[in-house]
Amino acid sequence: MTFDRKDLTNNQLLDLYKKILKPRLIEEKMLILIRQGKVSKWFSGIGQEAISVGVTAVLDSDEYILPMHRNLGVFTGRNIPLYRLFSQWQGKANGFTKGRDRSFHFGTQQYKIIGMISHLGPQLGVADGIALANKLSKNGKITAVFTGEGATSEGDFHEALNIASVWELPVMFVIENNGYGLSTPTNEQYRCENLADKGIGYGIESHIIDGNNILEVYNLLSDLKASMIEKPRPVLLEFKTFRMRGHEEASGTKYVPQELMDMWAVKDPVENYRKFLIENEILSADFDATLHTEIKNDIDESLAIANAEPEIKPSYNEELEDVYQQYNFELVKPDLKTENIRFIDAISASLRQSMERHYNLVIMGQDVAEYGGAFKITDGFVAQFGKERIRNTPICESAVVSVGMGLSINGHKAIVEMQFADFVSTGFNPIVNLLAKSHYRWLEKADVVVRMPCGGGTQAGPFHSQTNEAWFTKTPGLKVVYPAFPYDAKGLLNTSINDPNPVMFFEHKQLYRSIHQEVPTNYYTIPLGKAALLKEGDTVTIISFGAAVHWALETLAKNPEIAADLLDLRTLQPLDTEAIFASVKKTGRVIIYQEDSMFGGVASDISALIMENCFEHLDAPVKRCASLDSPIPFTKALEDQYLPKGKFEKELLALIAY
């Protein structure tokens, strides 16, 4: 191995040695603790330290890094106190996740490190979002994100590279090509000669680097960083290295040929660099011994602190309180001045006024810029707010949701428009595993609204007509809003954008141009989690949301003798159980009316809640009225049969007569 010091001073060379030695000594201590049964799981980065240490040394302390399992050098390079790392690994309170996640599955704004999730790929899109925020802020900052050769097969990898290329985002995509994804060798994972070649397809500059040579890593990345500041762009970096331990210690390395282990053993990044420094009289044996002693003492003292720390005591209240970031709702009252507008106009007005109110708000989606979106909701926005904030995206829902998370991490707000709610399935993972869990895992907000044009009645067929709110209402950490009227749509969307938690905002397509209402022209807010009582009566309670609210109103207009409480939920998560229970206790009869299919829908959970909390007040069984348990069809006759409109009146009358 050849080391080229270029113009680095002796002090700089020694500083890199200290940085690469520290994670190695921690690793060696962890292996001892594993053999002693004091640590249950460990993902070793022995043999790969030069990459994480080199990347971290090049970036400024306020530049974000998104590491993975084997990047201990990122955490030590940012000088996180070791006792906090040991507490994190032991699931104690001085860690970063309150015992809710393990090892390196955490982030910290204090040290500008955004921890991984086990799905790997989405963190690449998060890096895009962080870099986009940097670019919008014009602060000249670079973002680095790590992945392994295995994750380059994931769709999120390709989506993130494509977005970064199209938007010219200053991201270093760091691939640690260490030979194996758990036990699967690289020749069973991809067929191109080098992973760096994948950059060609995205028009991205790429480099192949000896990942075991700390000076090659540091020098090349230093030059690249300076160049990326001068000319912002993404760079794909393939670091050739090897994983000398198992995927995690329990899996071992029996599947690796011994000759391969022997070949890479002589390329050890720490030992070779030490040898270079000693041979060039930059490092003395005495100083080396002193460094070893100082680091080992720090390790032992930090372990003692972590070991002495008490185990976490579970608390129901604390667990539930941390699912969402606390949000102090700000009531902005509507003016008396109104205009009669459609549902779609109310959505557009909310977006426009929110863009004016929040300078850091970015709207992203397919065709949302000059074209104005599939439903023309953002028509004219580019002229007012510019293409930096109204951003057309490639067709890659998963990465765009992750970009929204990255924007949130780096001080922005994001709105992601799904062209149709059905298409959210390709962005499902980062919504339910990233947005929803981030605050609970490490107290990081996910200030993202996902707009969901949904619903049937337009003969659009199985791929453009679903009302899929139940996919998300059961996921802790998400808020789900589903208005039925223009007034509510504007006020609730304003609140959703203000809320720092992730919100799935459902907009029924059939209501866009069919429903008109007097709506205040000014900016105003409506609290989430408060249902609206549209009609009052003492005979029966009708609970509904979305388009089904209007279908219920039609039925009641046809049957004026029915004295019903009609409750429009407006928000499904949080759910206004107080209003639900109060109405049911008053009437003694309840029917829940939803457009979604029956099994597993929101109505099922509401029914269970009523049975558990209002049973003694009921005079009849709780009824649910919903669509067929089938995909939604295209032809009008079939769609009419699918939707619950044709049977609601009969079921309502039967319930009253029970």
Side-chain angles (χ1 to χ4, degrees):
M1 189 178 295
T2 301
F3 291 96
D4 182 0
R5 66 180 295 171
K6 292 195 173 180
D7 57 355
L8 295 177
T9 66
N10 285 355
N11 284 338
Q12 288 176 303
L13 295 172
L14 287 173
D15 183 62
L16 286 174
Y17 178 63
K18 295 175 189 176
K19 284 181 165 64
I20 200 171
L21 178 62
K22 190 172 187 176
R24 171 61 62 87
L25 294 180
I26 295 172
E27 293 261 18
E28 291 175 352
K29 184 67 173 183
M30 297 304 294
L31 297 182
I32 293 171
L33 295 177
I34 287 173
R35 289 194 293 270
Q36 294 175 344
K38 296 179 180 179
V39 174
S40 61
K41 202 174 189 70
W42 182 251
F43 297 89
S44 177
I46 288 178
Q48 300 180 203
E49 296 94 341
I51 305 170
S52 53
V53 168
V55 170
T56 308
V58 166
L59 266 64
D60 298 335
S61 61
D62 62 348
E63 291 180 308
Y64 284 94
I65 304 179
L66 294 84
M68 293 181 63
H69 292 100
R70 268 168 278 281
N71 300 127
L72 175 58
V74 171
F75 299 87
T76 58
R78 285 281 164 94
N79 296 315
I80 294 179
L82 293 188
Y83 78 89
R84 294 204 67 190
L85 289 177
F86 294 143
S87 292
Q88 170 65 25
W89 302 336
Q90 294 182 29
K92 295 186 175 180
N94 274 330
F96 294 88
T97 64
K98 297 187 178 182
R100 294 166 183 160
D101 218 331
R102 63 185 186 183
S103 60
F104 296 102
H105 292 250
F106 73 91
T108 161
Q109 285 282 13
Q110 181 181 356
Y111 297 98
K112 293 295 182 286
I113 296 173
I114 308 303
M116 61 168 294
I117 63 169
S118 290
H119 298 74
L120 307 179
Q123 69 194 56
L124 299 164
V126 174
D128 282 352
I130 292 171
L132 174 58
N134 287 334
K135 187 172 181 178
L136 292 173
S137 301
K138 296 180 174 61
N139 59 20
K141 297 299 179 183
I142 305 299
T143 304
V145 57
F146 286 73
T147 193
E149 80 288 336
T152 63
S153 297
E154 291 188 341
D156 289 89
F157 171 83
H158 301 278
E159 292 185 14
L161 260 64
N162 191 46
I163 286 177
S165 177
V166 171
W167 291 353
E168 296 181 321
L169 301 176
V171 182
M172 290 183 179
F173 291 99
V174 177
I175 304 173
E176 292 182 300
N177 191 344
N178 61 18
Y180 286 85
L182 209 159
S183 68
T184 306
T186 53
N187 62 1
E188 295 180 24
Q189 296 189 58
Y190 59 87
R191 286 303 170 109
C192 55
E193 182 177 355
N194 298 297
L195 289 170
D197 296 339
K198 294 193 175 188
I200 298 171
Y202 299 105
I204 291 179
E205 174 186 343
S206 60
H207 300 267
I208 298 172
I209 304 168
D210 182 352
N212 286 31
N213 187 323
I214 182 64
L215 293 190
E216 183 174 336
V217 174
Y218 182 81
N219 288 326
L220 177 58
L221 266 59
S222 295
D223 292 341
L224 276 174
K225 180 187 173 183
S227 174
M228 291 169 70
I229 293 172
E230 183 71 23
K231 180 186 177 183
R233 67 191 187 281
V235 176
L236 181 62
L237 306 167
E238 180 183 2
F239 292 88
K240 302 286 190 180
T241 186
F242 196 73
R243 196 184 69 214
M244 298 301 294
R245 309 292 299 182
H247 170 70
E248 38 82 30
E249 285 304 307
S251 64
T253 58
K254 290 183 178 180
Y255 48 84
V256 182
Q258 187 58 46
E259 58 269 22
L260 199 55
M261 297 291 291
D262 294 341
M263 181 186 80
W264 281 95
V266 300
K267 298 181 179 182
D268 184 286
V270 180
E271 292 302 320
N272 280 287
Y273 189 49
R274 176 190 289 118
K275 182 180 177 182
F276 162 76
L277 294 176
I278 290 175
E279 288 178 350
N280 287 272
E281 299 182 348
I282 300 166
L283 173 69
S284 69
D286 287 344
F287 186 58
D288 190 26
T290 299
L291 285 178
H292 277 70
T293 300
E294 289 176 353
I295 295 172
K296 287 181 178 180
N297 287 341
D298 186 13
I299 293 171
D300 291 340
E301 291 168 5
S302 298
L303 275 170
I305 295 172
N307 290 335
E309 187 180 350
E311 299 294 330
I312 284 179
K313 293 182 179 180
S315 163
Y316 280 118
N317 288 339
E318 185 173 0
E319 288 297 282
L320 294 174
E321 286 170 0
D322 282 348
V323 172
Y324 298 95
Q325 175 160 318
Q326 184 177 358
Y327 169 54
N328 296 318
F329 168 72
E330 178 189 355
L331 178 63
V332 181
K333 294 181 179 180
D335 284 344
L336 295 177
K337 183 181 179 182
T338 65
E339 57 182 341
N340 191 267
I341 60 174
R342 303 168 299 176
F343 191 104
I344 196 169
D345 302 320
I347 296 290
S348 183
S350 168
L351 293 175
R352 189 181 298 275
Q353 290 176 357
S354 292
M355 288 290 289
E356 293 168 346
R357 188 180 183 91
H358 301 288
Y359 73 93
N360 60 343
L361 176 60
V362 178
I363 296 177
M364 300 179 290
Q366 295 159 29
D367 307 300
V368 299
E370 290 86 351
Y371 188 73
F375 300 97
K376 301 299 183 182
I377 288 176
T378 52
D379 191 23
F381 277 39
V382 169
Q384 183 174 354
F385 303 109
K387 291 202 67 172
E388 289 292 292
R389 296 179 65 199
I390 310 297
R391 305 188 74 89
N392 283 335
T393 69
I395 301 177
C396 49
E397 287 82 3
S398 185
V400 175
V401 171
S402 297
V403 167
M405 181 69 206
L407 282 168
S408 174
I409 285 170
N410 204 4
H412 283 66
K413 287 178 171 289
I415 296 175
V416 177
E417 178 186 298
M418 294 292 154
Q419 201 164 68
F420 292 88
D422 315 65
F423 299 167
V424 77
S425 56
T426 56
F428 191 73
N429 176 38
I431 291 174
V432 300
N433 282 313
L434 189 57
L435 301 187
K437 294 179 172 66
S438 288
H439 192 266
Y440 175 77
R441 286 174 58 234
W442 58 283
L443 302 183
E444 176 61 29
K445 69 184 187 302
D447 201 344
V448 182
V449 174
V450 182
R451 290 184 45 240
M452 301 278 284
C454 65
T458 59
Q459 289 79 61
F463 294 144
H464 298 78
S465 306
Q466 294 175 87
T467 175
N468 46 4
E469 66 279 352
W471 292 4
F472 306 101
T473 51
K474 72 97 53 226
T475 302
L478 298 176
K479 296 187 178 183
V480 181
V481 181
Y482 203 146
F485 294 92
Y487 178 91
D488 293 338
K490 182 177 178 180
L492 289 170
L493 183 53
N494 287 337
T495 301
S496 298
I497 294 167
N498 293 339
D499 196 317
N501 295 285
V503 179
M504 307 299 295
F505 195 91
F506 284 81
E507 306 163 12
H508 201 290
K509 305 190 306 295
Q510 194 179 44
L511 302 182
Y512 270 160
R513 292 176 170 84
S514 64
I515 301 298
H516 293 69
Q517 193 179 28
E518 290 293 326
V519 176
T521 56
N522 74 311
Y523 178 95
Y524 63 93
T525 59
I526 298 173
L528 304 188
K530 297 293 182 182
L533 187 60
L534 303 183
K535 285 186 173 294
E536 292 192 61
D538 55 10
T539 302
V540 65
T541 296
I542 303 170
I543 300 171
S544 191
F545 55 92
V549 171
H550 298 279
W551 304 339
L553 285 168
E554 291 171 9
T555 300
L556 292 176
K558 183 180 175 183
N559 298 272
E561 73 282 1
I562 298 177
D565 264 8
L566 176 56
L567 204 59
D568 175 8
L569 293 176
R570 302 196 295 187
T571 305
L572 306 179
Q573 186 61 265
L575 184 66
D576 191 351
T577 54
E578 182 180 349
I580 292 171
F581 297 159
S583 178
V584 172
K585 289 176 182 179
K586 179 179 74 172
T587 66
R589 287 176 168 81
V590 59
I591 184 168
I592 307 152
Y593 193 11
Q594 70 180 27
E595 181 178 341
D596 192 11
S597 53
M598 177 77 80
F599 190 84
V602 173
S604 299
D605 270 292
I606 296 174
S607 174
L609 285 168
I610 292 170
M611 291 295 290
E612 291 170 356
N613 292 274
C614 305
F615 181 77
E616 65 273 19
H617 297 276
L618 292 172
D619 298 321
V622 177
K623 291 288 292 180
R624 295 171 294 157
C625 185
S627 294
L628 294 179
D629 282 321
S630 74
I632 182 169
F634 153 62
T635 301
K636 187 177 189 307
L638 293 176
E639 187 183 50
D640 288 345
Q641 175 183 260
Y642 167 86
L643 293 170
K645 290 179 66 174
K647 57 187 177 183
F648 175 69
E649 181 179 4
K650 179 180 178 181
E651 294 192 7
L652 175 63
L653 294 173
L655 174 63
I656 294 172
Y658 181 85

